[in-house]
Amino acid sequence: MNDSDYHLHVIAFDVPYPANYGGVIDVFYRVKALSEAGVKVHLHCFEYGRGHAEVLDRCHEVKYYKRDTSFWKQLRREPYVVASRRSEALAQDLLKDEYPILCEGLHTTAILGDLRFKNRKIFVRAHNVEHDYYRFLAESEPTCWKRWFYRMESRKQKRYEPILQRAAGIFAITQADTDYFNAHYGKTVLVPGFSALSRVCSETGRGDYVLYHGKLSVPENKKAAEWLVEQVFSELNIPCVVAGLNPPDSLRKLCERYPRVSLKANLGDAEMIDLIRNAQVNVMVTDQPTGLKLKLLNALYNGRFCLVNDDMVRGTDLGQLCVVAETPEQFINEIKRLMKEDFTEDDIEERNEALKDLYQNEKNAQLIVNTVFLTPHS
């Protein structure tokens, strides 16, 4: 088979542009890298609010399907993230040829249970161990009914997950996830996260503020931001910035209580990159040791010092490039120390050396090509 014969269906759980939150960053830049590697990507997007994106027309083919978010989908035995993306229109489009299929996350794997696809080569990109991710979401959620929903969804996903046995292969995003999926289902390949950059673009010198950024409507990120504002930023005599998409009113009001804390909402891609690059310290915390936090990868490629807790880097090899703290006192002391240090060319070179082998879009796209098109599958 020549490169020109490589056709691949990619089923995206959301429209992957703009690439402004973790999951779609990985999808968008992987599709881009696969296209540049000569793969004719047939992109199928579930749309529920982000609209159509002209930039995706660079793919060989792009199709959109309405995600069914009606309440009754939550009552199904299968996970809501799967049931709401079950689409006969998608199935009919996929059945028009025999090309291999890449499902993005457990969310888009309904076709694995469809007998019409029993002889198709279907691969799954695992962004997390999803039932663990939703269990942690439940622990972070203050609202009772949402906490109940996340717990039920976690149980459904754990029960549903063995459907991955029917996949031709799994592409995991971290070593810890690779070990998990290999132990349960085998045929798992580590393919690290894709991002916008292939070389570190951090600024040397010093910035004059501290930054936390994330998709602030996500319970995990909202909880992290609140913890940082109340326990860390409130004790610092330097500017502190919280930035991200769709912050809830409660977080806005919390930031307003502290004169040195500012909230920047719904910035464009260029504005967010500038904010990350000009910060002296990018602070990131999580209580979910699942998957790869792509915002950390973004900060390592674009920002100066990265200060994280252990859960932020667990299961990855990125801890060596960060300063790790756990308690509020440790975060406060490390920020005070880092605010006095210059970020140097040596720091940039150290990052480049550490990141170039694992997090290289071209190389990782070729790994997918080799696995999908050049490796025999039973």
Side-chain angles (χ1 to χ4, degrees), residues 15-22 24-29 50 196 269 298:
V15 179
Y17 192 85
N20 56 2
Y21 72 89
V24 295
I25 291 172
D26 184 55
V27 176
F28 178 78
Y29 289 105
R50 285 165 68 88
D269 290 352
N298 192 19

Side-chain angles (χ1 to χ4, degrees), residues 20-292:
N20 56 2
Y21 72 89
V24 295
I25 291 172
D26 184 55
V27 176
F28 178 78
Y29 289 105
R30 181 157 20 82
V31 165
K32 183 174 183 289
L34 286 169
S35 298
E36 291 170 352
V39 177
K40 291 181 170 62
V41 175
H42 302 251
L43 181 62
H44 305 266
C45 306
F46 282 95
E47 196 278 315
Y48 51 106
R50 285 165 68 88
H52 295 197
E54 288 185 11
V55 70
L56 299 177
D57 292 341
R58 298 171 190 171
C59 294
H60 186 74
E61 177 185 32
V62 184
K63 294 199 172 181
Y64 297 86
Y65 311 87
K66 202 71 179 174
R67 183 184 175 195
D68 184 355
T69 56
S70 57
F71 175 74
W72 74 273
K73 291 288 186 181
Q74 298 181 27
L75 306 179
R76 297 282 296 271
R77 179 176 172 81
E78 66 185 351
Y80 173 70
V81 295
V82 178
S84 60
R85 293 177 176 87
R86 182 177 287 279
S87 168
E88 180 59 24
L90 168 63
Q92 289 299 326
D93 285 335
L94 296 172
L95 289 167
K96 290 176 182 176
D97 54 60
E98 294 296 322
Y99 302 142
I101 301 167
L102 175 60
C103 299
E104 293 290 346
L106 206 63
H107 312 53
T108 65
T109 57
I111 59 171
L112 284 174
D114 189 329
L115 291 177
R116 293 173 293 179
F117 293 91
K118 65 179 181 179
N119 295 320
R120 288 289 282 277
K121 286 170 58 175
I122 302 175
F123 298 82
V124 178
R125 169 53 151 182
H127 297 264
N128 282 297
V129 177
E130 291 293 344
H131 61 84
D132 281 345
Y133 177 69
Y134 272 77
R135 177 168 53 84
F136 285 119
L137 279 181
E139 293 173 4
S140 300
E141 178 55 58
T143 307
C144 284
W145 75 266
K146 288 184 179 179
R147 188 163 59 246
W148 174 85
F149 168 77
Y150 289 137
R151 284 174 178 162
M152 291 301 297
E153 186 71 0
S154 174
R155 291 170 190 158
K156 290 179 181 181
Q157 289 170 354
K158 189 170 185 178
R159 186 170 60 234
Y160 175 84
E161 188 187 79
I163 202 168
L164 295 177
Q165 293 170 347
R166 304 179 188 181
I170 301 167
F171 298 116
I173 201 167
T174 68
Q175 186 60 56
D177 287 1
T178 303
D179 294 342
Y180 170 85
F181 287 112
N182 257 328
H184 287 79
Y185 312 110
K187 60 201 175 188
T188 303
V189 178
L190 171 61
V191 180
F194 289 71
S195 67
L197 295 169
S198 57
R199 282 193 63 81
V200 173
C201 296
S202 304
E203 299 282 349
T204 55
R206 298 186 199 179
D208 61 2
Y209 62 89
V210 176
L211 172 67
Y212 171 80
H213 77 281
K215 188 178 181 182
L216 298 173
S217 58
V218 173
E220 171 197 0
N221 295 337
K222 174 179 174 285
K223 182 179 178 181
E226 290 173 341
W227 184 85
L228 284 169
V229 171
E230 291 182 308
Q231 302 295 324
V232 179
F233 293 172
S234 63
E235 301 298 321
L236 295 170
N237 194 28
I238 55 176
C240 300
V241 179
V242 176
L245 297 173
N246 305 321
D249 287 340
S250 60
L251 181 58
R252 289 179 183 272
K253 291 175 182 176
L254 177 64
C255 292
E256 288 171 359
R257 286 170 48 189
Y258 303 100
R260 289 182 294 275
V261 178
S262 60
L263 177 67
K264 297 184 182 295
N266 302 319
L267 300 179
D269 290 352
E271 292 174 292
M272 182 60 79
I273 292 296
D274 282 345
L275 203 60
I276 293 169
R277 283 186 178 161
N278 290 316
Q280 174 68 354
V281 185
N282 280 271
V283 184
M284 285 158 283
V285 298
T286 184
D287 57 4
Q288 294 197 23
T290 59
L292 172 68

